[in-house]
């Protein structure tokens, strides 16, 4: 027998002859089993019957399903069910080869990670239909050629093909295709055909269970399908037969029964829809259900089944709930969408928000989608308030920051203690996490500035035009909508951003880091307390669910603008993940100070010390110091170096600076480095023009400074440096919303559209046009019409702020 020959090297192991279960051998006997199917790496090794197998440390006691998507990465044993619509082409005759190859690749990746993968597949009928149609056409063409001497294929009638005959003709070809694809990844696959009797007959059920376990132990991927060549037609309404039995009438019920029987951790059901909707997909009000809980099916309206296959979405939900009750987590997702099908399986296992996740554990609070809708509705109510009412909310929040100081600092202390005990935060991040009485007082002052300046923000007329007689146009300021602000280790960011959102009438979703959980919770509670005085508590929401940042960035129907506040890596990740949502911010804060040849000795060390040492973790701290070449080996240069050494600033030498030194500091690896610590790069330039060129080449368009007493040189620098903030004879640290008099900022933007630099209230507003007429129509302004355009600018009335 072939399989014995393929396994012959193992049979000659020193411990003697191995005995393979005949059923497992029979299942694998059609396929080539590579002798070295898995390279042995430096990982834990398990031995079964003297055969070494590699395992990844994925262990979980089966019993209860996963409560959250984030836990799916711990799934060890996984069943992937491929629906007919996924496997077959649009013409229902033949297989979707590209899609199938992508699925095999994803399954192989997970198998090679040490997981135990099983596939429940459709497609035999479609593949058989293709083969039988070809054979019938070929047979008919031969007969016609014999009788008439020519082929008239266009007149040939294809008879209706019986499904069981198609399945019989297609099984071998389908499995041969799987074999060829899995062989590319050095993985062996084995075919198992089952019927309902295999689960209801106790002996057959034990045989099936034993065969599958032996195949999984041998690192073989079982490919299971109902034996459609002999299976009887399904009985109507026989999906569920009691608590412990599910009738195998289609591959959905087969996958569920198999998942529970094999105690799998995860069942992935791939279909041709994104998941489960609260009404039939395609209807106007249909919304994708992110998480589905037992008992929710009463609120769902099911549509018709897919174009192919035996089961519809209702059958999938019943099967999924049955598997969930048996301890297996379930995700129903789209396996046909060209943009996601290439990574849908791996995305699900990584815990990304794909499809509908079935869970038995309902969260204590609202979902993030519900929070987004609440923020939208609350923001619209907030925008409709009078300016003094919004200001009153902010004044109240400022008072609460000082009145509840002790409670805030106690919560912050718990965050600091946990962070220090776990050792997960670097010193600069710990400084950002820390709150103090002085910081809270400063926050309160900033919030009162925002309240005072917010009287004329929302609804301000910025342009009036008389289009024609009795036809007047106004452009007015309005909120952007719903803001998502994601921040790390900065609890003081929460009241600042909340105040700016309140002042500008925007709804707000806040996502803080885990390291500031207690601080964020109490600050959000105080924010909602302040909002409650005018009944707009829901306008500001704190996302406490286990939503990944990448998932939040996909909520383009709920969020209008994303503002990241954190590390450059966080900002880059968000900019990459955002799908259809604008991102305001900067990915890096590579700020320069250029010391000109005409710089004042008294000013240089003060400005450099403040720019670098006052708060080195800030995004507006000095990172690269540019020095005019003529200042080298002068007393001023020595003072700069001595001051940096006293402040314990580590110096990295730029390439040109290093060339001037016999014994230089460590040469910088990159001139585009944001250190965020007591470290900086020093580089030499020949003059202001080269300084500007250096900043444009290596800077991040954040904040750049010139120190000089030469006004002409300074003006050249101010006009030519293309950054959000360009200063003369001041510290880079002035680049801040509070110091600019904005009260606070939601961040610093290096974008060239909408808002740039520290972003306060104005950066959170957009405009809309209001046109007031009296029975005006466009045709009246045509060549032969009765009206003419005037386009007269009108004075803008001053708002009464009393």
């Amino acid at each position: 027998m072939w399989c014995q020959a393929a396994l012959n090297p193992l049979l000659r192991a020193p411990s003697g002859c191995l005995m393979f279960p005949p059923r497992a051998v029979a299942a694998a006997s059609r396929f080539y089993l590579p002798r070295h199917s898995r390279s042995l790496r430096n990982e834990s090794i398990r031995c079964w019957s003297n055969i070494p197998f590699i395992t990844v440390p994925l262990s979980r006691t089966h019993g209860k399903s996963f409560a959250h998507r984030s836990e799916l990465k711990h799934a060890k044993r996984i069943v992937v069910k491929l629906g007919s619509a996924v496997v077959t082409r649009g013409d229902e005759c033949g297989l979707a080869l590209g899609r199938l190859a992508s699925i095999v690749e994803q399954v192989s990746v997970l198998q090679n990670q040490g997981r135990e993968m099983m596939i429940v597949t459709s497609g035999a009928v479609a593949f058989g239909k293709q083969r039988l149609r070809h054979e019938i056409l070929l047979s008919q063409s031969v007969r016609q050629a014999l009788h008439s001497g020519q082929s008239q294929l266009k007149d040939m009638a294809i008879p209706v093909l019986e499904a069981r005959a198609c399945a019989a003709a297609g099984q071998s070809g389908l499995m041969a295709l799987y074999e060829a694809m899995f062989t590319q990844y050095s993985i062996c696959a084995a075919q198992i055909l089952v019927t309902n009797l295999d689960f209801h007959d106790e002996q057959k059920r034990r045989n099936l269970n034993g065969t599958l376990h032996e195949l999984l132990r041998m690192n073989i991927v079982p490919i299971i399908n109902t034996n459609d060549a002999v299976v009887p037609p399904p009985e109507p309404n026989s999906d569920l037969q009691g608590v412990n039995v599910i009738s195998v009438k289609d591959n959905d019920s087969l996958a569920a029964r198999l998942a529970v029987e094999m105690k799998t951790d995860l069942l992935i059901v791939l279909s041709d829809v994104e998941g489960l909707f609260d009404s039939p997909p395609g209807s106007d009000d249909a919304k994708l259900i992110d998480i589905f809980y037992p008992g929710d099916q009463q609120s769902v309206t099911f549509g018709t089944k897919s174009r192919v296959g035996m089961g519809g979405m209702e059958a999938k939900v019943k099967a999924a709930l049955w598997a969930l009750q048996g301890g297996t987590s379930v995700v129903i997702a789209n396996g046909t969408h060209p943009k996601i099908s290439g990574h849908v399986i791996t995305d699900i296992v990584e815990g990304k928000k794909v499809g509908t996740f079935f869970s038995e554990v309902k969260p204590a609070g609202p979902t993030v989608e519900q929070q987004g809708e609440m923020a939208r509705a609350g923001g619209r109510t907030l925008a409709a308030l009078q300016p003094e009412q919004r200001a009153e909310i902010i004044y109240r929040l400022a008072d609460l920051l000082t009145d509840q100081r002790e409670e805030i600092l106690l919560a912050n202390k718990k965050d600091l203690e946990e962070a220090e005990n776990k050792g997960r935060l670097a010193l600069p991040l710990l400084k950002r996490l820390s709150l103090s009485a002085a910081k809270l007082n400063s926050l309160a002052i900033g919030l009162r500035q925002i309240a005072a300046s917010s009287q004329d923000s929302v609804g301000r007329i910025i342009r009036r035009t008389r289009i024609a007689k009795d036809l007047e146009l106004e452009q007015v300021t309005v909120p952007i909508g719903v803001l998502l602000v994601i921040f790390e280790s900065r609890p003081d960011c929460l009241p600042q951003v909340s105040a700016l959102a309140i002042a500008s009438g925007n709804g707000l979703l806040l996502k803080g880091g885990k390291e500031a959980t207690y601080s964020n919770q109490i600050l959000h509670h105080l924010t909602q307390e302040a909002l409650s005085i005018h009944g707009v508590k829901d306008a500001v929401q704190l996302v406490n669910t286990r939503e990944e940042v990448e998932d939040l960035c996909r909520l383009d129907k709920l969020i209008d603008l994303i503002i990241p506040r954190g590390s450059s890596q966080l900002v880059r990740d968000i900019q990459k993940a955002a799908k259809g949502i604008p991102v305001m911010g900067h990915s890096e804060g590579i700020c320069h100070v250029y010391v000109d040849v005409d710089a004042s000795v008294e000013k240089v060390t003060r400005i450099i010390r403040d720019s670098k040492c006052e708060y080195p973790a800030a995004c507006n701290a000095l990172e690269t110091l540019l020095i005019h070449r003529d200042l080298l080996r002068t007393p001023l240069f020595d003072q700069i170096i001595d001051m940096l050494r006293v402040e314990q600033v580590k110096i990295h030498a730029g390439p040109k600076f290093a060339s001037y030194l016999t014994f230089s500091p460590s040469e910088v690896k990159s001139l585009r480095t944001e250190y965020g610590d007591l470290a900086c790069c020093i580089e030499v330039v020949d003059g202001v023009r080269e300084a500007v060129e250096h900043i444009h080449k290596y800077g991040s368009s954040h904040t750049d400074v010139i120190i000089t007493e030469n006004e002409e040189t300074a003006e050249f620098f101010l006009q030519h440096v293309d950054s959000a903030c360009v200063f003369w004879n001041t510290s880079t640290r002035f680049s801040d919303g509070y110091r600019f008099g904005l009260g606070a900022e939601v961040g610093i933007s290096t974008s060239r559209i909408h808002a740039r630099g520290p972003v306060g209230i104005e950066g959170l507003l957009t405009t809309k046009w209001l046109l007031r007429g009296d029975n005006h129509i466009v045709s009246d302004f045509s060549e032969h019409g009765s009206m003419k355009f005037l386009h007269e600018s009108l004075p803008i009335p001053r708002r009464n702020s009393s």
Side-chain angles (χ1 to χ4, degrees):
M1 188 173 189
W2 177 87
C3 192
Q4 291 175 335
L7 297 171
N8 197 45
L10 297 173
L11 293 173
R12 292 193 292 268
S15 60
C17 182
L18 295 177
M19 298 301 294
F20 290 93
R23 289 185 299 275
V25 173
S29 62
R30 293 187 61 255
F31 307 106
Y32 171 69
L33 177 64
R35 290 176 59 180
H36 305 288
S37 62
R38 198 73 63 85
S39 60
L40 294 179
R41 301 182 295 268
N42 293 327
E43 300 177 82
S44 58
I45 295 179
R46 155 181 99 210
C47 287
W48 172 78
S49 301
N50 293 335
I51 304 176
F53 288 101
I54 297 170
T55 61
V56 170
L58 292 164
S59 59
R60 173 177 176 262
T61 302
H62 185 84
K64 295 193 67 176
S65 59
F66 294 118
H68 306 282
R69 283 184 185 268
S70 59
E71 298 172 349
L72 295 180
K73 59 180 175 287
H74 301 301
K76 167 72 173 176
R77 185 171 292 173
I78 303 172
V79 172
V80 178
K81 185 266 176 178
L82 307 179
S84 299
V86 176
V87 177
T88 60
R89 297 197 313 238
D91 61 3
E92 303 176 24
C93 185
L95 303 180
L97 297 179
R99 197 181 301 146
L100 203 57
S102 174
I103 289 169
V104 167
E105 180 180 12
Q106 294 174 74
V107 170
S108 299
V109 167
L110 296 174
Q111 180 81 3
N112 285 327
Q113 289 176 357
R115 305 179 199 268
E116 297 174 341
M117 304 298 296
M118 292 180 279
I119 295 177
V120 175
T121 182
S122 301
V125 174
F127 195 73
K129 184 185 294 186
Q130 182 185 38
R131 294 183 64 182
L132 291 180
R133 282 170 61 95
H134 177 76
E135 291 297 327
I136 291 170
L137 287 173
L138 182 61
S139 173
Q140 290 181 351
S141 66
V142 171
R143 285 198 301 270
Q144 286 192 6
L146 291 174
H147 288 88
S148 62
Q150 60 180 353
S151 178
Q152 299 176 354
L153 295 180
K154 63 180 180 180
D155 298 327
M156 294 180 184
I158 304 298
V160 177
L161 300 174
E162 205 271 333
R164 287 192 289 270
C166 292
Q171 280 290 356
S172 60
L174 177 65
M175 295 308 301
L177 187 61
Y178 275 118
E179 170 197 1
M181 290 181 175
F182 274 111
T183 299
Q184 302 303 312
Y185 303 96
S186 298
I187 291 176
C188 180
Q191 178 186 17
I192 296 180
L193 298 175
V194 298
T195 65
N196 219 2
L197 293 176
D198 294 315
F199 292 98
H200 291 295
D201 183 280
E202 184 61 25
Q203 184 59 48
K204 290 183 177 181
R205 190 184 65 81
R206 283 200 301 265
N207 292 345
L208 175 62
N209 191 295
T211 299
L212 289 170
H213 275 93
E214 298 300 344
L215 291 173
L216 292 176
R217 288 183 183 182
M218 290 189 292
N219 257 351
I220 295 173
V221 176
I223 298 177
I224 306 105
N225 194 1
T226 53
N227 194 351
D228 294 326
V230 299
V231 71
E235 299 177 14
N237 303 320
S238 62
D239 291 285
L240 292 172
Q241 298 179 354
V243 176
N244 299 318
V245 178
I246 183 169
S247 175
V248 177
K249 59 174 265 185
D250 53 38
N251 278 338
D252 295 317
S253 51
L254 169 61
R257 181 65 189 261
L258 185 72
V260 174
E261 185 75 26
M262 294 297 295
K263 295 182 171 59
T264 59
D265 302 314
L266 174 62
L267 167 60
I268 299 173
V269 179
L270 297 184
S271 182
D272 57 352
V273 292
E274 278 70 21
L276 184 61
F277 289 78
D278 57 2
S279 57
S283 59
D284 291 339
D285 298 326
K287 293 182 180 178
L288 179 66
I289 298 173
D290 174 41
I291 306 177
F292 190 83
Y293 305 98
D296 286 355
Q297 60 265 41
Q298 286 81 6
S299 61
V300 176
T301 302
F302 294 102
T304 58
K305 73 180 187 69
S306 64
R307 58 180 172 79
V308 290
M310 298 172 63
M313 185 54 72
E314 187 172 8
K316 290 175 176 56
V317 171
K318 287 181 178 180
L321 290 174
W322 193 88
L324 187 68
Q325 186 179 5
T328 296
S329 297
V330 184
V331 175
I332 297 178
N334 192 335
T336 64
H337 196 292
K339 290 186 177 180
I340 64 173
S341 60
H343 45 81
V344 60
I345 299 173
T346 51
D347 280 355
I348 289 171
V349 176
E350 289 172 8
K352 295 181 181 179
K353 187 174 285 190
V354 179
T356 299
F357 172 62
F358 286 71
S359 175
E360 294 182 296
V361 181
K362 279 199 172 186
T367 66
V368 69
E369 288 83 4
Q370 291 170 333
Q371 285 186 296
E373 292 171 354
M374 292 162 66
R376 174 82 66 190
R380 286 171 176 162
T381 305
L382 182 66
L385 295 177
Q386 294 299 312
E388 56 269 21
Q389 291 177 304
R390 291 191 294 271
E392 187 180 351
I393 294 171
I394 301 170
Y395 280 126
R396 176 59 179 154
L397 178 56
D399 292 340
L400 287 171
L401 290 180
T402 53
D403 295 345
Q404 304 293 326
R405 180 188 300 115
E406 297 303 322
E407 289 82 353
I408 296 170
L409 294 179
L410 186 62
N412 184 245
K413 183 181 179 182
K414 290 175 67 177
D415 286 325
L416 288 169
E417 288 174 350
E418 284 197 7
E420 289 171 353
N421 292 336
K422 293 178 180 178
R424 64 187 183 189
L425 287 183
L427 184 59
L429 292 179
L430 277 174
K431 290 180 180 178
R432 290 186 181 185
L433 177 60
S434 176
L435 293 176
S436 63
K439 234 178 192 180
L440 292 175
N441 288 334
S442 178
L443 274 173
I445 293 171
L447 264 58
R448 293 188 179 99
Q449 286 182 350
I450 294 173
S453 63
S454 67
Q455 299 290 325
D456 192 28
S457 54
V458 180
R460 185 178 77 255
I461 301 172
I462 59 177
R463 181 183 300 175
R464 292 182 67 218
T465 305
R466 179 176 288 118
I467 304 296
K469 185 177 182 297
D470 297 327
L471 184 63
E472 292 188 4
L473 177 69
E474 289 181 351
Q475 186 182 16
V476 300
T477 58
V478 294
I480 289 175
V482 175
L483 313 176
L484 168 62
V485 178
I486 303 170
F487 54 100
E488 293 177 323
S489 306
R490 292 278 301 270
D492 56 324
C493 175
L494 194 151
Q496 286 181 336
V497 172
S498 297
L500 289 169
I502 294 166
S504 56
N506 284 288
L508 179 62
L509 286 176
L510 293 159
K511 176 66 172 175
K514 295 177 183 178
E515 64 280 354
T517 297
Y518 298 109
S519 304
N520 289 337
Q521 285 176 349
I522 188 170
L523 290 170
H524 178 249
H525 174 74
L526 297 177
T527 302
Q528 290 202 313
E529 183 178 332
L531 287 163
S532 296
I533 65 176
H534 288 297
V536 286
K537 178 181 177 181
D538 291 342
V540 177
Q541 298 285 326
L542 180 64
V543 179
N544 285 318
T545 60
R546 299 191 180 194
E547 302 295 325
E548 297 293 336
V549 169
E550 186 175 344
D551 292 328
L552 290 172
C553 292
R554 293 175 178 169
L555 301 177
D556 57 316
K557 294 181 180 179
L558 296 174
I559 297 167
D560 299 298
L561 179 67
I562 302 174
I563 304 173
R565 295 287 303 271
S567 66
S568 58
Q569 186 59 50
L570 171 71
V571 179
R572 283 193 295 269
D573 289 343
I574 290 172
Q575 289 172 335
K576 183 179 179 181
K579 305 296 183 184
I581 308 175
V583 178
M584 179 189 291
H586 64 279
S587 60
E588 293 174 309
I590 305 174
C591 303
H592 296 77
V593 171
Y594 165 57
V595 182
D596 185 54
V597 68
D598 296 321
S600 164
V601 175
E602 291 76 20
K603 296 175 183 178
V604 169
T605 53
R606 275 174 48 85
I607 292 173
I608 293 175
R609 179 188 287 110
D610 189 77
S611 297
K612 179 71 261 185
C613 307
E614 198 264 343
Y615 189 8
C619 65
N620 57 9
L622 161 67
E623 303 294 4
T624 299
L625 178 62
L626 301 176
I627 296 180
H628 193 288
R629 176 170 51 87
D630 292 346
L631 293 177
L632 294 177
R633 301 185 179 91
T634 65
L636 175 58
F637 177 76
D638 293 339
Q639 288 181 31
I640 295 171
I641 298 299
D642 290 342
M643 181 273 296
L644 292 175
R645 284 175 176 166
V646 169
E647 297 291 341
Q648 298 182 332
V649 177
K650 184 177 181 180
I651 298 173
H652 300 274
K656 289 183 68 174
F657 179 46
S659 67
Y660 284 95
L661 304 175
T662 305
F663 300 101
S664 69
S666 61
E667 189 168 339
V668 69
K669 295 180 180 179
S670 172
L671 291 169
R672 291 192 183 94
T673 301
E674 182 180 13
Y675 297 98
D677 204 349
L678 285 172
C680 74
C681 168
I682 296 180
E683 183 58 308
V684 175
V685 293
D686 291 335
V688 66
R689 292 182 181 275
E690 188 177 346
V692 171
E693 290 173 0
H694 179 103
I695 290 169
H696 288 167
K697 186 173 183 179
Y698 300 109
S700 60
S701 302
H702 192 295
T703 301
D704 300 291
V705 172
I706 183 173
I707 306 176
T708 185
E709 297 305 302
N710 188 314
E711 184 175 352
E712 183 179 350
T713 302
E715 285 302 321
F716 180 89
F717 186 89
L718 294 174
Q719 298 303 320
H720 285 81
V721 171
D722 185 17
S723 295
C725 300
V726 188
F727 301 160
W728 173 21
N729 285 349
T730 66
S731 167
T732 59
R733 298 277 292 121
F734 277 102
S735 180
D736 176 82
Y738 172 74
R739 298 182 182 107
F740 276 16
L742 304 179
E745 66 186 31
V746 292
I748 296 179
S749 173
T750 55
S751 171
R752 284 168 169 76
I753 58 173
H754 183 63
R756 201 173 187 205
V759 180
I761 298 174
E762 291 296 322
L764 300 181
L765 296 171
T766 184
T767 64
K768 72 177 180 181
W769 298 89
L770 305 177
L771 184 61
R772 297 179 174 89
D774 184 14
N775 198 30
H776 291 82
I777 59 174
V778 170
S779 59
D780 287 342
F781 294 85
S782 64
E783 184 177 352
H784 303 290
S786 59
M787 301 196 74
K788 301 293 183 183
F789 287 112
L790 299 176
H791 293 147
E792 297 175 357
S793 295
L794 298 175
I796 298 174
R798 296 187 63 181
R799 294 182 63 176
N800 184 2
S801 59
S802 61

